[in-house]
Amino acid sequence: MRAALLYNSAAGGATSEVELVSALERIGWTVPFRVSEEHLDPNLSEHADVVIVAGGDGTVATVAKRLARTELPMAIVPMGTVNNVARSLGLDLEPMAAIAGLAAAAKRRIDLGVLRTGSRESYFVEGFSAGFLGHVLGNKASDRHKKASRAFTLIADALETYPAHRYAVEADGRDLSGDYVLVAVMNARSLGPALALAAEAKLDDGRLDLVRIRRDEKGAIIEALRRAEKEEDLELPAFETSRVQRVRIHGLGHWAHLDDEPWELDDAVDIVTAAGAVHWLAPRQGVPNRT
């Protein structure tokens, strides 16, 4: 297997590039060259069989979106502090173990979400949310910290006084409008600092999970966040969730959140699923069912 390695040295992992290459060679792979996010070309298939992504969620999302609708697969070596995508795929979060699993990898597909607003269109891997999460990451961008406990504190503090807003929501032709503190359209299980908003979401089912959180559910979320600050464990309550293929959300006018970036959206958004848009090499322990 000829691999092009994209190694993000700024990710949270402590494993060096040399160690990763050695581990790949031990399973019989060669790494003839390295690539960067800026110079990732889908035509790499002429020279490589796979792109190895050694980084966090931001790097994984960049590569997945660049390889969408191509035949070149990606393989993920989790190196971030959160690793929402790797968690959703059931991957081993220890880099060397993740590489060892690739010795018996199988080619599979994962979905992407597609967000459209005005003339703007963007793929996403994890999810989109409008409400308190975007408010925290947008208005408090300078206070963002990669340590989960710090992020939990910021979110809990903001949620204490965050009001519900009216959102017009249409999902697969159904009117689900209401007053919510958060509306999320999830492709993966988690968003932001490993917030498992859609615990049953699957990256390979051709669907998106629409999550709505009402004002009277704020207390349970705040309690979970405060508890996690001390116990380093976060178990969110189950929220009102629908598995959908198409969602339209209107009445934003507030900060939103797409994958790992805050967005300021003032118009309606249309979100659909791009089923099976990306090929990936699934290791032994993280193989989804759909080919």
Side-chain angles (χ1 to χ4, degrees):
M1 184 75 72
R2 298 169 304 158
L5 175 63
L6 197 162
Y7 176 82
N8 183 359
S9 59
T15 307
S16 71
E17 185 175 357
V18 172
E19 290 173 308
L20 294 183
V21 172
S22 296
L24 287 164
E25 290 174 344
R26 286 196 294 273
I27 66 171
W29 291 25
T30 61
V31 187
F33 59 96
R34 320 297 198 260
V35 293
S36 66
E37 293 183 34
E38 294 78 15
H39 299 97
L40 179 62
D41 184 350
N43 293 324
L44 276 171
S45 56
E46 298 176 6
H47 309 288
D49 302 308
V50 61
V51 176
I52 303 290
V53 188
D57 289 314
T59 306
V60 171
T62 296
V63 175
K65 290 182 279 190
R66 196 73 58 84
L67 297 182
R69 307 301 190 188
T70 74
E71 295 300 312
L72 184 61
M74 63 188 292
I76 300 171
V77 178
M79 295 276 290
T81 54
V82 177
N83 301 307
N84 284 324
V85 178
R87 292 173 189 273
S88 295
L89 291 171
L91 299 183
D92 195 311
L93 300 184
E94 201 285 309
M96 291 304 182
I99 290 175
L102 291 172
K107 193 173 182 179
R108 296 289 186 264
R109 292 176 181 264
I110 58 175
D111 309 326
L112 294 178
V114 184
L115 182 147
R116 301 185 182 106
T117 176
S119 61
R120 192 176 184 183
E121 179 175 294
S122 298
Y123 282 124
F124 63 87
V125 182
E126 298 169 58
F128 165 86
S129 75
F132 68 80
L133 188 55
H135 168 75
V136 172
L137 297 181
N139 292 329
K140 299 180 180 295
S142 62
D143 293 329
R144 280 191 293 169
H145 198 286
K146 288 189 175 182
K147 187 175 180 182
S149 61
R150 173 60 175 155
F152 293 161
T153 299
L154 287 174
I155 294 169
D157 289 347
L159 194 52
E160 292 276 7
T161 57
Y162 189 82
H165 296 283
R166 184 72 179 176
Y167 293 99
V169 182
E170 181 182 326
D172 292 343
R174 293 175 294 158
D175 184 0
L176 300 175
S177 303
D179 295 329
Y180 304 111
V181 294
L182 184 131
V183 177
V185 183
M186 302 293 295
N187 187 40
R189 295 175 61 250
S190 304
L191 189 62
L195 293 179
L197 298 173
E200 302 301 319
K202 300 182 185 303
L203 276 160
D204 68 332
D205 64 355
R207 303 279 181 136
L208 299 164
D209 283 45
L210 172 64
V211 180
R212 287 102 64 207
I213 302 178
R214 301 179 186 276
R215 179 169 44 204
D216 58 5
E217 296 175 294
K218 283 174 38 173
I221 301 172
I222 293 169
E223 181 182 349
L225 291 167
R226 300 289 191 207
R227 184 175 63 248
E229 294 171 27
K230 300 177 181 178
E231 300 176 4
E232 297 184 359
D233 178 38
L234 179 63
E235 183 176 347
L236 291 174
F239 303 116
E240 192 173 2
T241 305
S242 305
R243 194 149 287 170
V244 300
Q245 290 184 304
R246 182 179 296 273
V247 181
R248 182 175 178 81
I249 305 173
H250 191 60
L252 300 176
H254 303 284
W255 282 101
H257 186 248
L258 187 70
D259 277 355
D260 63 345
E261 294 294 331
W263 273 33
E264 191 171 13
L265 294 176
D266 295 316
D267 202 355
V269 296
D270 291 287
I271 301 173
V272 298
T273 180
V278 181
H279 291 275
W280 78 298
L281 292 185
R284 286 188 299 262
Q285 71 170 74
V287 182
N289 295 324
R290 195 182 72 194
T291 58

